[in-house]
Amino acid sequence: MATLLLLIIYLTFIALGLPDSILGSSFPAIADNLQISENMAGYISPIISIGTIISSIFSAKLVELFKTKWVTAVSVFLTGVALICFSFVQRGFTWAFFVAAIPLGLGAGSIDAALNNYVALHYKAIHMNWLHCSWGIGASIGPMIIGSFIDAENNSRGWNYGVLTIGIILFAISVILFLSLPLWNKMASKEKQEERIEKTLLHPYKSLLTNPVLYFSVIGFFCYSALESTAGLWIATFFNQTQNIDTALSATFASSFYLGITIGRFICGPFSLKIKEKNMIRIGEGILFIGVILALIPMHYLFALIGFIILGLGCAPIYPAIIRSTPYRFSKQLSGKVIGLEMAFAYCGNLAIPPLFAFTANSLNNYRILPYFLLILALLMIFCHESVNFILSKRDKRLSSEEMKDYLTV
């Protein structure tokens, strides 16, 4: 029963990944076809992020009121409907992109926070990596679907059919989730038993505000998410503007980054059973750094393409390891609330940094600065994570073995 439910959760994360990369991969074609500025992507993206921030902050309360199963099913339905509406936008009605972005963001944030905490508490580390590998599958397939519909020789038409296809896929997955509600009910007794255990771990929520680990954790998550979203949103434009790659091929190249993430998370799954989360993060950061350096080489576009694939490989273990380590960093009792905050700050990174990059690149009239921009975010992220490791090493020495049980992941 638990295995079947896990497979459905994997499918849900594929659904979560599908919309994440399509804005960046499709917008060069949208801008060409509708004769609007490519910069508009940098304004639509913040609307999506605001929605995800709001739903992430309130995710713990939503799960408490409606349970994870309903929050998940309704959220996937919202994202599917939003993308279907997105696909029908015509020239002269581009304001509708901003309207469709609202339910798209609200749905994504709720899914992310609710399921991440559920898997962190109830499944082993390998499943957290493969969960986000499933997200990577969706994020990789999204640009491929878009690219397959785009007619680069005919005013980049066809992007709308690609977006519509993804919206229909999400709608179908939401139907599967609604049909699976009885399965969640059968798991309810086990969840209630674990909830009673968690409620015996008494840690005041207000103590988080004086815990420096919280601030380094959320800033580190902010930097990671900003790096991932900036790369995902602007890689297609990077190749289109700096390498003279057509819009269809640029959309396909955008999937290289997410392909790297997907492959990396599949590989990381078994290793996560043997390697501690903090070391998984360190390994990812080292690989990520190599990818950024390769993308900096101003020669043939293949250097940048390989660099972005390696960048994706480096990103692979970081997100799952941060989520998985949250119960260790803050206790199992507080993990749901903290993961909601982490998701909110992650989406603040999505909200603030891609438009900042767009403004900077357009001010300089040079999209070649993308790898340099990513390098700065990577260095700040590494500093935050190492600060967390330093503080927690001192904490662990002070706690008894009995006290440490409150902080161990299950």
Side-chain angles (χ1 to χ4, degrees), residues 97-113:
F97 284 133
F98 295 92
V99 177
I102 296 173
L104 185 60
L106 290 172
S110 296
I111 302 168
D112 216 354

Side-chain angles (χ1 to χ4, degrees), residues 165-301:
T165 300
I166 294 172
I168 292 172
I169 291 171
L170 287 171
F171 182 82
I173 292 175
S174 74
V175 172
I176 293 173
L177 284 166
F178 281 114
L179 292 175
S180 72
L181 291 177
L183 179 62
W184 292 80
N185 292 336
K186 292 181 180 180
M187 296 293 293
S189 59
K190 180 181 178 182
E191 290 178 33
K192 288 179 180 178
Q193 181 181 4
E194 290 170 344
E195 285 174 7
R196 286 196 295 270
I197 294 172
E198 291 161 19
K199 287 177 181 177
T200 64
L201 307 174
L202 302 177
H203 298 276
Y205 184 47
K206 64 181 181 180
S207 67
L208 285 172
L209 299 178
T210 60
N211 188 349
V213 175
L214 175 67
Y215 299 100
F216 283 118
S217 293
V218 296
I219 293 172
F221 219 150
F222 174 97
C223 292
Y224 170 80
S225 188
L227 185 152
E228 181 185 291
S229 61
T230 302
L233 186 60
W234 295 111
I235 283 175
T237 303
F238 171 85
F239 282 110
N240 183 247
Q241 294 291 324
T242 68
Q243 306 293 333
N244 294 319
I245 306 295
D246 65 56
T247 55
L249 189 56
S250 293
T252 303
F253 281 177
S255 68
S256 65
F257 171 64
Y258 292 104
L259 182 63
I261 293 178
T262 305
I263 294 172
R265 284 178 180 162
F266 181 80
I267 295 171
C268 286
F271 288 103
S272 66
L273 296 175
K274 301 292 184 180
I275 303 174
K276 292 182 178 180
E277 279 79 11
K278 66 178 181 181
N279 292 328
M280 292 294 291
I281 293 172
R282 285 169 171 164
I283 291 169
E285 288 169 341
I287 297 172
L288 179 153
F289 189 81
I290 294 171
V292 173
I293 297 302
L294 269 177
L296 285 170
I297 299 175
M299 296 175 66
H300 196 274
Y301 72 85

Side-chain angles (χ1 to χ4, degrees), residues 55-72 75 109-118 122 184 191 195 336:
S55 57
S56 294
I57 290 173
F58 292 101
S59 62
K61 189 64 177 178
L62 288 172
V63 169
E64 182 182 340
L65 291 173
F66 304 109
K67 304 303 180 185
T68 302
K69 59 183 181 180
W70 280 106
V71 172
T72 302
S75 297
S110 296
I111 302 168
D112 216 354
L115 288 184
N116 269 303
N117 185 58
Y118 188 88
H122 300 300
W184 292 80
E191 290 178 33
E195 285 174 7

